[in-house]
Amino acid sequence: MLKEERQKFILDQVHLHHRVLLNDLSESLNVSIDTVRRDVKELAKDRKLKKVHGGATSFGFMNFRKDEGNVYLQSKKIAIAEKTISLLSEGQVILMSGGTTNMEVAKMIPKKMALTVFTPSLHVAMELLELPSVEVIFLGGKLLHDAKFAVGGMVVNSLSQLRVDMCILGTGYLDSVHGLTEFDWEVIQVKQAMIRAAKKTVILSVSDKLHSVQKYKTCDMTAVNTLVTELDPTDELLDAFRPYDLTLV
């Protein structure tokens, strides 16, 4: 594979998952870690991504701004957000995780819809503060520098005291067999606590993330009530998820 092809793959993975590991890229590309590391350094020098310890992140992962119009797969995420809004109803108490798809949901909530939203995502909390009818409760803890996402015992303990109507989770990696997975153990602890704190769990995922797996499991598909993608629910790409007792939106 040519260097240009490798670097395009790396950028696509960074934009899709927001953060990637050198080891995973090396395995996917079937090249040495040193080769991947050199590619990442070149891309970082060109300001196309940010090199971090053991991997790389997208700039959008670290800083959401209202004037940014370059969200990766934004049209798909907007379609998912539109479907998700239809699941909300007046007076609900919900949990929302972070990520660009949840940011699109936050932007679309009707200004007059009264909701209470708990979130460990600083980005999502700031976006929700634009909505006068939404009561925003930030679940504070140790903030991850890149994701602006609160983790740790304080967050998990706060979540253990909740029983909300719905949990809306963004995805890192989603597979019909392995369920929802991530590579950040601290984030997983928070997401698992969010699922336990909700009567219903809704997963948001662009189709590009389907059938992808990481090292650590957040939950099995049996813990999911609703899966929202940009696809038509009858699309064959969703066939592997049909055996589960969940609603495809």
Side-chain angles (χ1 to χ4, degrees), residues 47-99:
R47 301 287 297 170
K48 294 181 178 179
L49 51 71
K50 180 180 180 182
K51 186 181 182 299
V52 295
H53 180 70
T57 63
S58 68
F59 287 108
F61 181 56
M62 298 175 285
N63 185 27
F64 295 111
R65 299 194 303 269
K66 290 184 180 299
D67 58 352
E68 283 185 343
N70 61 343
V71 175
Y72 190 64
L73 303 177
Q74 187 170 32
S75 62
K76 293 183 179 182
K77 294 174 182 179
I78 288 173
I80 291 170
E82 289 173 343
K83 291 182 178 183
T84 304
I85 293 300
S86 71
L87 303 177
L88 303 180
S89 58
E90 194 83 11
Q92 279 182 320
V93 179
I94 65 175
L95 276 164
M96 288 182 67
S97 69

Side-chain angles (χ1 to χ4, degrees), residues 27-202:
E27 289 180 10
S28 297
L29 291 166
N30 196 27
V31 297
S32 69
I33 289 183
D34 286 339
T35 298
V36 170
R37 187 177 289 111
R38 285 195 296 271
D39 285 337
V40 167
K41 283 183 178 179
E42 284 188 23
L43 292 167
K45 184 178 180 181
D46 292 338
R47 301 287 297 170
K48 294 181 178 179
L49 51 71
K50 180 180 180 182
K51 186 181 182 299
V52 295
H53 180 70
T57 63
S58 68
F59 287 108
F61 181 56
M62 298 175 285
N63 185 27
F64 295 111
R65 299 194 303 269
K66 290 184 180 299
D67 58 352
E68 283 185 343
N70 61 343
V71 175
Y72 190 64
L73 303 177
Q74 187 170 32
S75 62
K76 293 183 179 182
K77 294 174 182 179
I78 288 173
I80 291 170
E82 289 173 343
K83 291 182 178 183
T84 304
I85 293 300
S86 71
L87 303 177
L88 303 180
S89 58
E90 194 83 11
Q92 279 182 320
V93 179
I94 65 175
L95 276 164
M96 288 182 67
S97 69
T100 49
T101 307
N102 264 318
M103 285 290 287
E104 296 298 337
V105 173
K107 292 173 186 176
M108 285 192 187
I109 294 174
K111 288 188 179 296
K112 294 184 178 181
M113 179 177 280
L115 296 170
T116 299
V117 182
F118 289 82
T119 182
S121 168
L122 187 58
H123 285 309
V124 169
M126 293 298 291
E127 186 65 43
L128 291 170
L129 285 175
E130 300 292 323
L131 302 170
S133 296
V134 175
E135 181 179 5
V136 184
I137 302 172
F138 178 66
L139 296 166
K142 182 182 79 172
L143 274 172
L144 298 178
H145 283 267
D146 290 341
K148 307 297 187 291
F149 189 88
V151 296
M154 290 176 61
V155 184
V156 173
N157 182 60
S158 295
L159 286 164
S160 71
Q161 301 175 53
L162 299 178
R163 187 59 175 166
V164 304
D165 298 306
M166 182 186 300
C167 172
I168 303 175
L169 284 183
T171 54
Y173 300 78
L174 187 65
D175 181 73
S176 59
V177 175
H178 299 282
L180 181 63
T181 56
E182 306 276 352
F183 63 79
D184 192 314
W185 186 247
E186 288 186 302
V187 171
I188 283 176
Q189 303 309 304
V190 173
K191 287 191 172 183
Q192 288 176 341
M194 291 175 71
I195 292 169
R196 291 193 297 268
K199 298 175 185 176
K200 179 180 180 180
T201 298
V202 178

Side-chain angles (χ1 to χ4, degrees), residues 217-247:
K217 179 179 287 188
T218 301
C219 68
D220 288 312
M221 289 308 301
T222 53
V224 179
N225 302 100
T226 305
L227 172 58
V228 186
T229 73
E230 84 284 0
L231 302 171
D232 185 284
T234 63
D235 195 293
E236 63 182 13
L237 285 176
L238 297 171
D239 285 351
F241 296 91
R242 300 191 199 284
Y244 295 96
D245 184 22
L246 56 79
T247 301

